[in-house]
């Protein structure tokens, strides 16, 4: 099946809402505690979920209010699922599931080879019928783009056709790499940071998101 490039893939959606930018600034601070970091990530993921689910299809149904019967809109079936890139992606799930509690969740485990910076898969568990769902793939960081691209490639191999990548921070390098390898996948992010260092870390960034989420730094 031939997929058409998304108009948003080469121009990522950067969420500049004042609340998002305020919370992101506190998330970056070195003195933010593990508990505070988790809370901020959850709050940010809830706000980001609004954009990630903006174009979910609706249907009109008949309901009864306390006053009368009327027609109203609701989501047209279980159209969305969330895919977390382990382990740090799990930090973004809670807020999204607060808004979409019925959405199934998949996990893909990847680690970055410290020498090549390439992604290596070690775990995969996905919901059924991902070919018919909007798959929202979550990972806090889009640095080199190799892990994200590997995850998207694997999901396409499993039948996913409608994919969206959501991250807290990104870089021009990571965005360019995804646009090259997966031009059909839109990217939603809260910031495009200026640089990557020699170890592939985003600068100024926020440190290792997984370590800060799970208190292993």
């Amino acid at each position: 099946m031939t997929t058409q490039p998304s108009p948003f893939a080469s121009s990522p959606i950067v969420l500049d809402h004042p609340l998002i930018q305020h919370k992101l600034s506190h998330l970056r601070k070195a003195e933010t505690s593990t508990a505070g970091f988790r809370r901020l990530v959850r709050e940010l993921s809830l706000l980001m979920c609004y954009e990630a689910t903006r174009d979910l299809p609706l249907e009109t149904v008949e309901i009864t209010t306390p006053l009368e019967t009327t027609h109203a809109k609701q989501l047209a079936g279980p159209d969305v699922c969330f895919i977390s890139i382990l382990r740090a992606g799990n930090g973004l799930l809670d807020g999204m599931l607060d808004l979409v509690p019925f959405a199934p969740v998949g996990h893909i485990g990847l680690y970055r080879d410290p020498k090549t910076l390439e992604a290596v898969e070690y775990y995969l568990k996905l919901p059924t019928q991902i070919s018919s769902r909007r798959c929202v793939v979550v990972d806090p960081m889009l640095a080199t783009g190799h892990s994200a691209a590997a995850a998207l490639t694997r999901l396409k191999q499993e039948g996913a056709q409608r994919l969206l990548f959501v991250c807290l921070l990104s870089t021009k390098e990571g965005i360019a790499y995804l646009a090259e390898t997966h031009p059909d996948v839109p990217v939603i992010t809260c910031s495009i940071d200026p640089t990557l260092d020699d170890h592939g870390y985003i600068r100024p960034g926020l440190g290792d998101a997984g370590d800060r989420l799970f208190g292993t730094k």
Side-chain angles (χ1 to χ4, degrees):
M1 175 180 180
T2 302
T3 54
Q4 296 299 318
S6 164
F8 301 109
S10 59
S11 300
I13 301 169
V14 181
L15 304 180
D16 59 358
H17 190 284
L19 280 177
I20 288 179
Q21 294 304 311
H22 172 80
K23 292 178 185 296
L24 181 61
S25 294
H26 284 279
L27 194 71
R28 292 183 188 271
K29 292 180 179 179
E31 64 267 26
T32 298
S33 66
T34 297
F37 194 90
R38 290 173 181 166
R39 175 180 55 79
L40 286 164
V41 170
R42 183 175 186 141
E43 292 171 352
L44 282 163
S45 67
L46 190 151
L47 294 169
M48 295 173 76
C49 191
Y50 281 107
E51 189 65 39
T53 56
R54 177 179 294 276
D55 62 349
L56 290 181
L58 294 171
E59 62 183 359
T60 301
V61 296
E62 185 176 279
I63 64 171
T64 302
T65 76
L67 300 177
E68 62 180 272
T69 298
T70 188
H71 289 90
K73 295 185 182 298
Q74 67 178 25
L75 290 176
D79 187 66
V80 65
C81 68
F82 299 120
I83 310 293
S84 169
I85 299 179
L86 298 174
R87 64 180 170 149
N90 281 359
L92 292 170
L93 286 176
D94 288 343
M96 293 189 173
L97 289 173
D98 284 345
L99 285 182
V100 196
F102 54 82
V105 175
H107 296 88
I108 179 166
L110 299 169
Y111 69 88
R112 186 172 59 176
D113 186 288
K115 294 182 179 179
T116 66
L117 301 183
E118 295 293 330
V120 181
E121 180 186 323
Y122 65 88
Y123 183 79
L124 182 70
K125 185 71 173 180
L126 300 175
T128 59
Q129 300 177 329
I130 66 167
S131 63
S132 61
R133 297 181 185 272
R134 158 66 65 86
C135 297
V136 180
V137 183
V138 296
D139 194 2
M141 316 293 272
L142 177 60
T144 65
H146 291 111
S147 293
L152 295 172
T153 296
R154 191 71 173 90
L155 293 171
K156 287 180 178 179
Q157 290 172 350
E158 294 296 318
Q161 299 181 39
R162 293 183 296 144
L163 290 154
L164 173 68
F165 188 82
V166 178
C167 59
L168 292 171
L169 299 184
S170 60
T171 65
K172 291 180 179 178
E173 293 91 336
I175 289 167
Y177 190 75
L178 278 197
E180 177 185 351
T181 55
H182 295 283
D184 57 310
V185 179
V187 175
I188 293 177
T189 186
C190 297
S191 175
I192 303 175
D193 279 19
T195 60
L196 279 172
D197 65 20
D198 293 339
H199 300 287
Y201 285 101
I202 297 174
R203 295 298 185 107
L206 49 74
D208 188 296
D211 282 342
R212 298 194 69 185
L213 276 165
F214 299 110
T216 52
K217 62 179 179 179

